[in-house]
Amino acid sequence: MPFDVSLLTIEITLSVLGLTILVLGLIVPPNAKRGLGAITTIGLLGTLAVAVALWDMQGSLFDGMFIVDQYATFFKIICLTGALLVTMGCTKYVENMGANGEYYSILVFSILGMCVMASAGDFLTLYVGLELMTLAFIVLVALNKRDAKSAEAGIKYIILAAISAAALLYGLSLVYGLTGTIMIAEIAQLVVAGSLSPLLIFGLVLLIAGLGFKVSAVPFHMWSPDVYEGAPTPVTAFLAVGSKAASFAIVIRLFVAGFIGTAGTWVMAIAILAAITMVVGNLLAIPQTNIKRMLAYSSISQAGYMLVGLVALTEAGVKGIMFYAFLYVFATLGAFVVVATVYNKVKSDEIADYAGLARRAPLLAAVLTISMLSMAGIPPLAGFVGKFYLFTTIVGDYFWLALLGLIISMISVYYYLRVCLVMYRDEPKDNAPIEYSGSVTVVLLATLVTTIVLGVYPGPISEVVNTAAASFFIH
């Protein structure tokens, strides 16, 4: 079969964009580096347009090591959309940080890693993509040299990322040693329930631990609150959406495509993991006074909801995860762009400092309110539809898990609404309006409208997700 280089169009485009920004960051004078944000925005917009245009492209390279299908393209579109919104919404924050060239180039390389992960058909491609993304995030988390918390977060992230990588590698090595292949599709044919060995079960446990770290599932979540709080807000925002979406892309590819024959061994473990993650994430979010830490625990609970779709082990379950991952981008980034914009003015991430935000910046308060209500699952917003899709896939076989998810969602309303209460009820310390750029306004309106429209009229996106999920089961 001839080598079709067009299957690598998105990855090649991102590589060229990342190298171009890196070189420009080195050669242009400091006062001209503000333009790198605009170049990155245009580059990401172009790459996103290319990804959408290549929606129908399907094929594979290197004997199935790199797979291009609508499932992979959908996750690439999610990551590119998230990166585009972060870049447009946090330009001022990055300028104040004073590391434009490094930030934008490494951000693009992290997206490249995510795209490689989404197309991984074997362990090597999976690991190369995962490490490219992780190493890029380690640098980004510690990028703010003026902030000791940023350096501390970077150290914590690199240590825990190394431990999770070791667990993942050991697990992959055991599976390879027992099956003789690193191809995920071949493993599905070789590994069946009757041939399970204790070593293979141990390998699966290590894979769950390694990937559980990437999606912030309890008890592998300890890094999230400290890293989210210490990292620059644009990095936290992209870590919350891009990293999680790409990680779920390989979790589904590995477990639903590779280990479907042994589902009886691990599916209950995933169900318990989902339940603990939902409960712990939501309960620990309640006492938080720092909004970034609160969103970190919220992100942990959202990972629990998405794991529910994995328990279903059906096309509907995969569709539920993909739909939730898509809507999660807009609600989460809407909240983080507000956090970054408020921080530029008040230099604080404490929830108490959001007092009177509705008077100082009505649009910021409105976007944060809609984002919070969507994440809480309040109808008719997108978060409600996403949870509806996820929970209905397991009602028949795991009613207790669906019921637990509904109860814990209702409990989460408390800490989400507490932020809204502070913004609309409390008196501001400073009545001066909070100003922001036109690009921030565009991002705020985009996230606001999308979160509402996806809740009221999810049909078109639901059809797209149906097509993408179906392409996954063709292999």
Side-chain angles (χ1 to χ4, degrees):
M1 181 181 293
F3 186 86
D4 186 358
V5 73
S6 65
L7 295 173
L8 291 168
T9 303
I10 297 172
E11 288 72 20
I12 292 172
T13 306
L14 286 173
S15 301
V16 172
L17 178 63
L19 290 171
T20 303
I21 298 168
L22 182 64
V23 172
L24 288 175
L26 294 173
I27 61 176
V28 300
N31 59 354
K33 288 186 179 180
R34 292 182 176 179
L36 292 177
I39 294 173
T40 307
T41 301
I42 294 169
L44 290 175
L45 190 60
T47 311
L48 179 60
V50 168
V52 173
L54 298 178
W55 174 251
D56 291 325
M57 179 178 283
Q58 299 202 36
S60 63
L61 296 172
F62 313 114
D63 295 325
M65 294 174 73
F66 189 87
I67 300 170
V68 176
D69 55 10
Q70 287 163 327
Y71 168 82
T73 305
F74 184 82
F75 276 104
K76 293 176 187 179
I77 289 173
I78 289 178
C79 296
L80 286 165
T81 304
L84 179 64
L85 293 174
V86 167
T87 304
M88 291 178 65
C90 300
T91 307
K92 184 68 178 176
Y93 192 106
V94 177
E95 284 179 16
N96 292 340
M97 201 163 60
N100 291 22
E102 300 90 330
Y103 171 80
Y104 289 119
S105 60
I106 297 171
L107 179 77
V108 172
F109 287 128
S110 73
I111 308 164
L112 177 60
M114 294 172 194
C115 291
V116 173
M117 286 166 67
S119 284
D122 76 317
F123 291 168
L124 283 179
T125 311
L126 180 158
Y127 192 72
V128 168
L130 188 66
E131 285 308 295
L132 178 55
M133 179 192 76
T134 304
L135 291 173
F137 270 121
I138 288 170
V139 178
L140 288 172
V141 166
L143 196 59
N144 193 351
K145 293 174 282 190
R146 303 169 189 167
D147 188 356
K149 279 189 174 180
S150 180
E152 179 187 340
I155 293 170
K156 287 179 179 175
Y157 192 57
I158 193 170
I159 292 172
L160 293 171
I163 294 171
S164 76
L168 183 66
L169 270 180
Y170 197 18
L172 293 175
S173 302
L174 282 175
V175 174
Y176 169 65
L178 292 167
T179 61
T181 181
I182 58 172
M183 305 299 294
I184 295 172
E186 292 178 10
I187 289 171
Q189 298 168 358
L190 294 169
V191 178
V192 292
S195 62
L196 276 183
S197 69
L199 272 180
L200 184 59
I201 295 173
F202 184 52
L204 285 173
V205 170
L206 290 173
L207 291 182
I208 292 173
L211 294 173
F213 171 88
K214 299 300 178 187
V215 301
S216 308
V218 176
F220 316 107
H221 67 290
M222 292 79 74
W223 61 277
S224 293
D226 290 344
V227 171
Y228 274 44
E229 183 185 2
T233 302
V235 178
T236 307
F238 195 49
L239 189 63
V241 295
S243 170
K244 204 175 289 291
S247 298
F248 266 102
I250 60 170
V251 166
I252 296 170
R253 183 87 76 180
L254 199 55
F255 282 88
V256 180
F259 296 108
I260 187 73
T262 63
T265 308
W266 52 263
V267 74
M268 182 51 77
I270 297 292
I272 294 171
L273 206 64
I276 297 173
T277 303
M278 286 188 292
V279 172
V280 173
N282 280 308
L283 293 184
L284 291 184
I286 292 174
Q288 303 304 320
T289 58
N290 182 292
I291 196 163
K292 288 170 76 175
R293 288 186 74 86
M294 192 210 78
L295 288 172
Y297 283 108
S298 165
S299 167
I300 291 168
S301 67
Q302 305 295 331
Y305 298 134
M306 286 193 262
L307 283 174
V308 167
L310 188 61
V311 174
L313 277 179
T314 60
E315 192 172 315
V318 172
K319 173 196 168 184
I321 297 175
M322 296 173 76
F323 185 84
Y324 202 84
F326 184 78
L327 67 90
Y328 179 68
V329 168
F330 295 95
T332 305
L333 286 184
F336 273 110
V337 170
V338 172
V339 172
T341 307
V342 172
Y343 182 85
N344 285 336
K345 180 71 177 179
V346 304
K347 305 300 178 190
S348 170
D349 290 321
E350 292 299 313
I351 293 174
D353 291 317
Y354 282 66
L357 184 65
R359 299 179 206 172
R360 302 179 67 187
L363 181 58
L364 292 180
V367 170
L368 192 54
T369 301
I370 293 297
S371 298
M372 294 288 167
L373 295 179
S374 180
M375 284 190 269
I378 301 295
L381 300 173
F384 169 76
V385 180
K387 287 179 182 176
F388 178 78
Y389 283 157
L390 284 171
F391 292 149
T392 51
T393 61
I394 58 163
V395 166
D397 296 326
Y398 294 89
F399 178 74
W400 63 271
L401 186 58
L403 183 63
L404 179 68
L406 290 174
I407 294 171
I408 205 68
S409 291
M410 288 187 279
I411 293 174
S412 72
V413 173
Y414 169 76
Y415 66 84
Y416 286 124
L417 284 183
R418 189 184 56 179
V419 179
C420 303
L421 203 60
V422 170
M423 292 189 297
Y424 285 92
R425 180 198 63 186
D426 295 352
E427 291 294 326
K429 296 176 184 174
D430 180 2
N431 285 310
I434 296 177
E435 297 177 350
Y436 41 87
S437 66
S439 63
V440 172
T441 306
V442 171
V443 173
L444 292 174
L445 291 175
T447 55
L448 181 72
V449 171
T450 307
T451 303
I452 295 172
V453 170
L454 280 179
V456 177
Y457 186 53
I461 292 298
S462 183
E463 288 300 317
V464 171
V465 174
N466 274 337
T467 306
S471 77
F472 174 81
F473 285 92
I474 291 174
H475 298 289

